[in-house]
């Protein structure tokens, strides 16, 4: 736990009592603050009260007496499309707004670090897609290379639930736009921007607000090293804005999976399955990514480039990075290789809850038996029509099945209804070289509690099938 500093003996409101909210309440208490907690969910309030949290109805003005700050959990809107009523009231009452990430950066560094030869460093990773995989991959590489590390933020442990920093440690944080937007303090040693595609636009008031939330990690954070994907206009703008030296590119390392970045400074890019590192107009390293089964497709090659760039920034040699990458087990529910039989691979990509995410998986494999469907998202799978030639057959489940069938048209498909039926039929019809791919392009809530539950059901059924 990271005890929060700066609020000793002061009342601090905490809105939202999920994973990060509870961790925040505990960390505030550990730092001597007096957290006052609220959640719209009665069940969460009761669970927090059972832990000893002070619960007060923060929708009532009288509860704000003596409260200095309001710490807002990431999923709660504070501006667009409309501020949560507690946030609006907190503003009226003069409370400072912050979140757990802001508290982390105010509290992580301590005076004890003066006695360390190599103080801890913090790497923050943001972007629309690939954050979790890049974070988990980087954490794995560091661990495999013997560098002490912790992983948290939007994956794993909440930032305030992490342990105090150790000698030579690297803390790897996945940060969403929700987290970077509100944090009053941002101070990464290395910041990573992967990519940008439309998402959460209602929450940020449009694409400009969404990019601005992510840009804060660099503009406010002032990292010593900026690793920036330049395959979209926003990334190219960000790289140009934060580059300080034309020759070396310092402090920016550019990333791409679309262009050969062989000029202007330091770059890492992937083309035709090979990762290349270039500095000052010459290649200094190359890694063959093609046989890394847990990092399939261009989107994962971008993740690999980002993790590689961070590792090079902290001094790891290319050979050590490559060896560690080859032992990466993959991240659950994200193009996760579950098993293989008779030349047929079974891949769990349950995290693909929209067409944009499913596109990455379809591009990763040349011939798929595609299990898709669930609770539909706006636009359905129409954006994926150009990739239907990769689909040997689609097996459709859930509420979206009929609409998806209409969009598929002449592409072979069936309405399977349930995940179990879809998997059984796909496995029976698959040929060597096929990939049976769960990449639903839908939310899970019609048949499962979460995408994790959906992925776990697929994984369990595949393992039962392969054991039979």
């Amino acid at each position: 736990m990271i005890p929060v500093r700066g609020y000793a003996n002061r009342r601090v409101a905490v809105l939202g009592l999920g994973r990060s909210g509870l961790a925040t309440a505990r960390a505030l208490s550990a730092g001597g603050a007096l957290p006052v907690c609220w959640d719209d969910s009665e069940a969460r309030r009761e669970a927090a009260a059972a832990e000893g949290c002070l619960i007060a109805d923060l929708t009532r003005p009288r509860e704000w007496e003596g409260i200095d700050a309001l710490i807002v959990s990431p999923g709660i809107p504070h501006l667009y499309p409309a501020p949560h009523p507690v946030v609006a009231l907190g503003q009226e009452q003069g409370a400072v707004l912050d979140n757990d990430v802001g508290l982390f950066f105010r509290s992580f560094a301590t005076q004890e670090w003066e006695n360390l030869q190599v103080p801890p460093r913090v790497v923050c990773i943001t972007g629309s897609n690939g954050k979790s995989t890049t974070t988990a991959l980087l954490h794995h590489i560091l661990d495999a290379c013997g560098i002490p590390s912790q992983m948290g933020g939007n994956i794993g442990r909440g930032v305030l639930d992490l342990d105090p920093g150790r000698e030579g440690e690297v803390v790897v944080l996945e940060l969403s736009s929700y987290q970077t937007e509100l944090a009053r303090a941002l101070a990464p040693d290395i910041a990573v921007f992967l990519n940008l595609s439309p998402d959460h636009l209602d929450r940020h008031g449009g694409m400009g607000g969404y990019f601005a939330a992510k840009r804060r990690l660099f503009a406010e954070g002032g990292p010593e090293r900026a690793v920036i994907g330049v395959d979209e206009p926003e990334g190219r703008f960000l790289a140009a804005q934060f580059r300080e030296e034309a020759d070396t590119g310092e402090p920016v390392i550019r990333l791409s999976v679309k262009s050969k970045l062989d000029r202007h400074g330091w770059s890492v890019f992937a083309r035709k399955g090979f990762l290349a590192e270039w500095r000052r107009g010459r290649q200094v390293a190359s890694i063959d990514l093609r046989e890394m089964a847990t990092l399939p497709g261009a989107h994962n090659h971008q993740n690999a480039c980002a993790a590689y760039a961070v590792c090079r920034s902290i001094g790891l040699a290319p050979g050590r990075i490559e060896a560690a990458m080859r032992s990466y087990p993959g991240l659950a529910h994200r193009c996760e290789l579950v098993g293989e039989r008779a030349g047929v691979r079974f891949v769990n990509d349950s995290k693909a809850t929209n067409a944009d995410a499913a596109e990455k998986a379809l591009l990763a494999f040349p011939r798929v038996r595609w299990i898709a469907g669930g609770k539909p998202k706006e636009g359905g799978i129409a954006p994926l029509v150009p990739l239907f030639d990769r689909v040997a057959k689609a097996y459709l489940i859930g509420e979206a099945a009929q609409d998806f069938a209409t969009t598929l048209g002449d592409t072979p498909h069936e309405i399977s209804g349930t995940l179990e039926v879809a998997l059984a039929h796909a496995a029976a019809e698959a040929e060597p070289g096929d990939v049976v791919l769960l990449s639903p392009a839908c939310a899970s809530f019609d048949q499962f509690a979460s995408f994790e539950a959906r992925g776990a059901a697929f994984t369990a059924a595949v393992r039962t099938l392969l054991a039979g």
Side-chain angles (χ1 to χ4, degrees):
M1 182 189 301
I2 309 295
V4 172
R5 294 186 290 116
Y7 286 106
N9 300 314
R10 296 161 66 185
R11 285 163 58 85
V12 178
V14 177
L15 177 61
L17 295 170
R19 177 175 62 95
S20 67
L22 284 174
T24 298
R26 298 184 197 111
L28 283 164
S29 293
L34 306 172
V36 180
C37 305
W38 181 254
D39 193 294
D40 292 338
S41 165
E42 182 178 357
R44 285 187 172 180
R45 296 196 300 268
E46 291 176 352
E51 275 200 28
C53 294
L54 172 63
I55 305 298
D57 186 351
L58 295 174
T59 65
R60 299 177 179 178
R62 67 171 181 266
E63 300 292 353
W64 286 85
E65 182 69 30
I67 289 179
D68 291 330
L70 169 61
I71 312 304
V72 183
S73 294
I76 298 173
H78 54 269
L79 184 57
Y80 301 116
H84 186 280
V86 170
V87 175
L89 183 56
Q91 292 171 336
E92 292 176 8
Q93 298 295 322
V96 169
L97 287 183
D98 205 347
N99 64 9
D100 60 337
V101 172
L103 296 180
F104 169 85
F105 279 112
R106 289 181 56 182
S107 306
F108 185 54
T110 65
Q111 289 184 341
E112 286 74 18
W113 286 19
E114 295 178 1
N115 300 319
L116 302 179
Q117 292 185 344
V118 181
R121 286 170 286 186
V122 179
V123 179
C124 294
I125 297 167
T126 196
S128 295
N129 299 298
K131 297 186 297 296
S132 295
T133 296
T134 302
T135 302
L137 175 60
L138 176 57
H139 177 62
H140 171 81
I141 295 170
L142 295 170
D143 185 62
C145 291
I147 296 175
S149 66
Q150 297 186 73
M151 177 178 72
N154 206 39
I155 182 175
R157 299 160 70 183
V159 291
L160 292 172
D161 195 36
L162 296 171
D163 298 326
R166 298 172 289 168
E167 174 84 37
E169 183 176 59
V170 178
V171 176
V172 187
L173 301 180
E174 176 192 341
L175 297 183
S176 71
S177 56
Y178 293 177
Q179 293 167 303
T180 58
E181 183 179 42
L182 188 57
R184 288 173 61 86
L186 290 166
D189 296 282
I190 302 173
V192 180
F193 175 88
L194 293 169
N195 48 54
L196 198 76
S197 60
D199 204 3
H200 312 305
L201 300 189
D202 60 335
R203 173 68 180 265
H204 297 295
M207 195 69 177
Y210 179 44
F211 175 55
K214 294 186 177 297
R215 182 182 173 277
R216 289 192 76 243
L217 186 61
F218 299 82
E220 306 292 334
E224 295 178 5
R225 171 73 59 199
V227 177
I228 300 175
V230 295
D231 286 337
E232 292 86 30
E234 292 86 357
R236 292 191 288 274
F237 168 79
L238 195 63
Q241 189 176 36
F242 287 96
R243 186 184 302 123
E244 295 179 1
E245 299 181 18
D247 182 33
T248 65
E250 291 290 331
V252 173
I253 303 177
R254 295 176 299 150
L255 308 176
S256 179
V257 290
K258 295 181 179 179
S259 302
K260 183 178 181 181
L261 304 177
D262 55 356
R263 298 186 301 157
H264 307 306
W266 193 353
S267 64
V268 181
F269 59 90
R271 298 182 75 216
K272 299 180 180 180
F274 286 86
L275 179 155
E277 178 188 359
W278 282 66
R279 295 199 199 187
R280 298 189 179 186
R282 69 181 186 90
Q283 183 172 319
V284 297
S286 177
I287 293 177
D288 187 351
L289 301 173
R290 294 173 299 176
E291 300 304 317
M292 296 187 185
T294 56
L295 292 169
H299 65 300
N300 275 314
H301 292 176
Q302 183 186 51
N303 301 334
C305 287
Y308 175 93
V310 173
C311 290
R312 293 291 282 146
S313 296
I314 64 175
L316 286 175
R320 296 185 70 192
I321 301 170
E322 179 177 7
M325 279 185 179
R326 293 192 181 281
S327 64
Y328 174 61
L331 192 60
H333 316 302
R334 297 163 176 85
C335 276
E336 174 192 13
L337 179 61
V338 178
E340 184 173 351
R341 183 179 69 180
V344 176
R345 287 176 287 170
F346 296 82
V347 174
N348 168 21
D349 193 42
S350 183
K351 181 64 167 65
T353 58
N354 56 43
D356 183 62
E359 177 187 35
K360 307 297 190 298
L362 291 175
L363 284 169
F365 307 108
R367 180 179 163 89
V368 301
R369 302 268 170 185
W370 183 25
I371 301 175
K375 190 174 182 62
K377 296 284 186 75
E378 185 176 353
I381 56 172
L384 303 180
V385 169
L387 301 180
F388 285 175
D389 60 347
R390 294 172 172 263
V391 179
K393 185 176 178 180
Y395 304 80
L396 306 175
I397 65 175
E399 293 177 7
Q402 189 58 61
D403 286 343
F404 281 15
T406 301
T407 305
L408 284 160
D410 294 334
T411 301
H413 63 272
E414 68 172 60
I415 295 180
S416 304
T418 67
L419 180 59
E420 293 77 10
V421 172
L423 174 59
H425 290 185
E429 296 173 3
E431 302 172 0
D434 287 355
V435 172
V436 176
L437 172 67
L438 171 66
S439 192
C442 282
S444 61
F445 305 126
D446 56 340
Q447 296 179 331
F448 298 94
S450 64
F451 76 82
E452 293 97 339
R454 178 172 59 192
F458 176 80
T459 297
V462 168
R463 289 175 176 164
T464 299
L465 177 70
L466 298 182

